[in-house]
Amino acid sequence: VACMMDKVEYVLQERSVNGGFDQKYNPEYPEHLLKGVVGQQEFTDMVTSLNESLKKHRCKKKDFAFLGASVLFLPAMIPFVKRLSKHKKRRKDRIQEQCADWNMAHPTCRLKYDTNTGDIIVSISVARSAMPQIDKKHKKTRKKERAERRKRKDNKKHQKNSSSSGSSDSDSGSSVSDSDSEATTAGQTAP
C-alpha cells in the first residue's frame, strides 16, 4: 500500500551581522514542524556549527579598510568587490556541503539552499494522514501573522487618511461627516 506524502517547508530565519554585509542563521527550533522528526538539540547543533563554519567567509577588517579607502580612492573598491564575491562563492559552497551532509543523515528532514534568495529551506516529508495536525498548528501562527500585518496596514492607512483629511477639512471650512456626504451625493439633502 502506497502512502501519499506531502512536503512541508520552513525557511530558516537569518539576521544581519557586520553592518548588513553578512548573515547569521537563527538556531531556533521550529517545534510545530520538526517535533518527532529531528531532535531539538540536534537541529540547534547543526545550525550553530553552520554559523561557526561560515565565520571564515564573512567580511573582515581588511574588507572594511578597502571599502573605507574607496571613498577617497575609487580604485580601492575593486579589491573589495573581488573579495566580497570570493566570500559569497565560498559561503555558498560551504552551505551546500553542510546541507548535503545533513541530508545524508536525515532522509525525512532535508535542507535545501536557495541560491537566488540565500535562504536555507527545511523540507520534511509527511504522510497525508499526519498533515492536518501539522497544518492546523502552522495555520494558526500564519493566521495570527497575517492578522497582525493587516492590522498594522489598516492603522497606517487610517493615520494617513486622518492626517490628509484633517488638513483638507480645515482648509475648506466645512465639517461634513461621511454619512452627510453620502446622502448629498445620492441626491438627498442632509438633515
Side-chain angles (χ1 to χ4, degrees), residues 38-146:
V38 175
Q40 182 175 1
Q41 188 64 37
E42 188 176 9
F43 183 80
T44 54
D45 287 347
M46 180 273 303
V47 177
T48 305
S49 69
L50 177 65
N51 284 332
E52 287 296 318
S53 67
L54 293 177
K55 269 187 181 180
K56 292 186 277 184
H57 310 299
R58 292 187 187 152
C59 288
K60 297 171 184 54
K61 290 179 184 179
K62 186 177 186 178
D63 298 308
F64 293 115
F66 281 132
L67 184 62
S70 68
V71 173
L72 300 173
F73 188 62
L74 193 60
M77 180 65 92
I78 294 168
F80 171 75
V81 172
K82 282 184 178 180
R83 285 180 56 84
L84 190 65
S85 64
K86 181 176 71 171
H87 285 311
K88 284 187 179 183
K89 183 184 180 308
R90 288 182 181 171
R91 174 184 162 83
K92 181 188 82 162
D93 292 343
R94 184 66 188 141
I95 291 173
Q96 287 177 335
E97 184 181 305
Q98 286 238 338
C99 288
D101 291 345
W102 175 267
N103 292 341
M104 293 292 283
H106 302 88
T108 57
C109 177
R110 303 186 59 80
L111 294 180
K112 178 171 58 170
Y113 180 64
D114 186 0
T115 55
N116 294 329
T117 60
D119 293 333
I120 295 179
I121 301 167
V122 180
S123 173
I124 59 171
S125 299
V126 179
R128 281 225 174 132
S129 60
M131 193 70 179
Q133 187 178 25
I134 289 176
D135 268 352
K136 285 179 185 174
K137 290 179 181 177
H138 194 58
K139 279 183 181 178
K140 285 180 183 178
T141 57
R142 286 192 324 227
K143 278 185 178 180
K144 285 180 184 176
E145 289 171 358
R146 278 193 299 247

Side-chain angles (χ1 to χ4, degrees), residues 6 34 75 97 112 156 162 189:
D6 281 330
L34 298 181
E97 184 181 305
K112 178 171 58 170
K156 284 182 182 177
S162 65
T189 58

